[in-house]
Amino acid sequence: AREMLVDKKFGSAGQKIIVEECLSGEEASILVVTDGENIVPLVSSQDHKRAGEGDTGPNTGGMGAYSPAPVVDDALFSEVMESVVKPTLEAMKKEDAVYKGVLYVGIMLTDDGPKVLEYNVRFGDPETQVILSRLKSDLAELMLATANGDLSGVELEWDPDEYVCVVLAAGGYPGSYEKGKEIKGIRDAEQEGALVFHAGTKLQDGKILTSGGRVLNVVGKGSGIKEAVKNTYKAVEKISFDGMFYRKDIAHRAIARVKA
């Protein structure tokens, strides 16, 4: 609060704060698409908000994600759908604000059950990178059916493999950071079978340079979470730029559950 209100760390965006209940537990992302009447769920995912290993350090826009999220079992998913998603969409209809599109519900899994952290009316980042990479159905057809109110009976096809996304960030992020650093090794990472999504980059004089805090998203897959993590980091190691950093423990919660 001091950094925002006194030190003006975030400028005009930090002039007001809202004090909310402190929720402790694991966070999970539940995404659905809706045409205002019908609801089609997307696969589960979990991201890592903190900048440092072990979920330490300042909050960021997300340092990595994985799908599926083993913490979101069928019982939990059903509970969130019945107690959060459906009532939310029904309430919007009653307010003459029928919503069509992607509804993202950020859930904190507390000792008292799931509680809503936030809503987004968009795909989440970096959850999008692992969720849509798993989608085998046509995304354009899904979006068109959503807009046209024609989702009844729609069932999506998903890759059964597990996917992991690791964010490559600029040194200093989420605080101040330098831009204009040349990025090398993207092609090499892609040759390892990874998908490399550009987030904070620019093309200048034939070179790819950094132009943001979260620079690249590297996505790999595997037949299990351990293999997916291994394949993703193998690709990450092919990429380099001055000041680059990334978390080396993405999906640690999922791996711990496998060991358990």
Side-chain angles (χ1 to χ4, degrees):
R2 183 178 294 108
E3 288 179 341
M4 294 170 68
L5 299 175
V6 179
D7 300 337
K8 312 294 184 184
K9 183 175 181 179
F10 300 110
S12 60
Q15 290 180 347
K16 294 181 180 180
I17 63 173
I18 299 174
V19 180
E20 298 179 334
E21 175 188 3
C22 180
L23 301 179
S24 299
E26 279 194 55
E27 187 177 346
S29 306
I30 306 294
L31 282 76
V32 303
V33 290
T34 178
D35 58 10
E37 188 68 36
N38 302 287
I39 301 171
V40 176
L42 306 183
V43 289
S44 65
S45 63
Q46 194 168 28
D47 75 335
H48 295 267
K49 287 285 194 296
R50 299 284 184 171
E53 264 105 52
D55 299 314
T56 59
N59 264 329
T60 72
M63 294 299 294
Y66 52 95
S67 176
V71 70
V72 183
D73 57 20
D74 291 342
L76 175 62
F77 190 88
S78 296
E79 181 179 356
V80 173
M81 288 292 292
E82 294 300 323
S83 65
V84 177
V85 176
K86 290 181 180 179
T88 298
L89 294 175
E90 284 297 322
M92 293 179 74
K93 286 170 62 177
K94 290 179 180 179
E95 294 286 341
D96 291 326
V98 175
Y99 177 65
K100 297 181 179 182
V102 179
L103 180 66
Y104 167 125
V105 185
I107 295 290
M108 184 67 84
L109 307 176
T110 74
D111 291 338
D112 298 323
K115 294 191 176 185
V116 177
L117 275 175
E118 63 174 346
Y119 290 103
N120 287 310
V121 287
R122 56 174 173 79
F123 287 108
D125 170 26
E127 295 94 332
T128 309
Q129 287 86 324
V130 288
I131 290 175
L132 292 188
S133 293
R134 291 186 63 196
L135 181 63
K136 299 179 73 174
S137 304
D138 191 312
L139 178 62
E141 290 183 0
L142 174 64
M143 294 292 96
L144 187 61
T146 301
N148 291 337
D150 192 25
L151 282 178
S152 178
V154 170
E155 292 187 8
L156 302 178
E157 185 179 0
W158 301 95
D159 187 338
D161 279 349
E162 305 207 14
Y163 281 69
V164 171
C165 172
V166 175
V167 172
L168 308 186
Y173 175 80
S176 59
Y177 52 84
E178 295 183 355
K179 301 179 181 180
K181 306 297 184 181
E182 184 178 359
I183 305 169
K184 298 181 179 179
I186 293 177
R187 291 281 178 85
D188 295 331
E190 291 171 337
Q191 288 178 356
E192 291 289 344
L195 295 169
V196 181
F197 295 99
H198 293 242
T201 68
K202 65 178 180 180
L203 187 62
Q204 183 174 308
D205 299 326
K207 297 179 179 180
I208 299 176
L209 307 179
T210 65
S211 186
R214 290 187 296 161
V215 179
L216 296 169
N217 302 271
V218 181
V219 176
K221 69 174 184 173
S223 58
I225 190 63
K226 291 182 180 179
E227 184 178 73
V229 167
K230 178 182 177 181
N231 290 341
T232 304
Y233 278 108
K234 188 176 180 182
V236 165
E237 290 170 0
K238 300 291 183 181
I239 299 175
S240 64
F241 57 85
D242 186 33
M244 183 182 90
F245 82 96
Y246 56 91
R247 281 187 53 168
K248 300 177 177 63
D249 65 343
I250 298 301
H252 67 85
R253 295 194 194 99
I255 291 175
R257 281 186 164 80
V258 170
K259 290 180 180 179

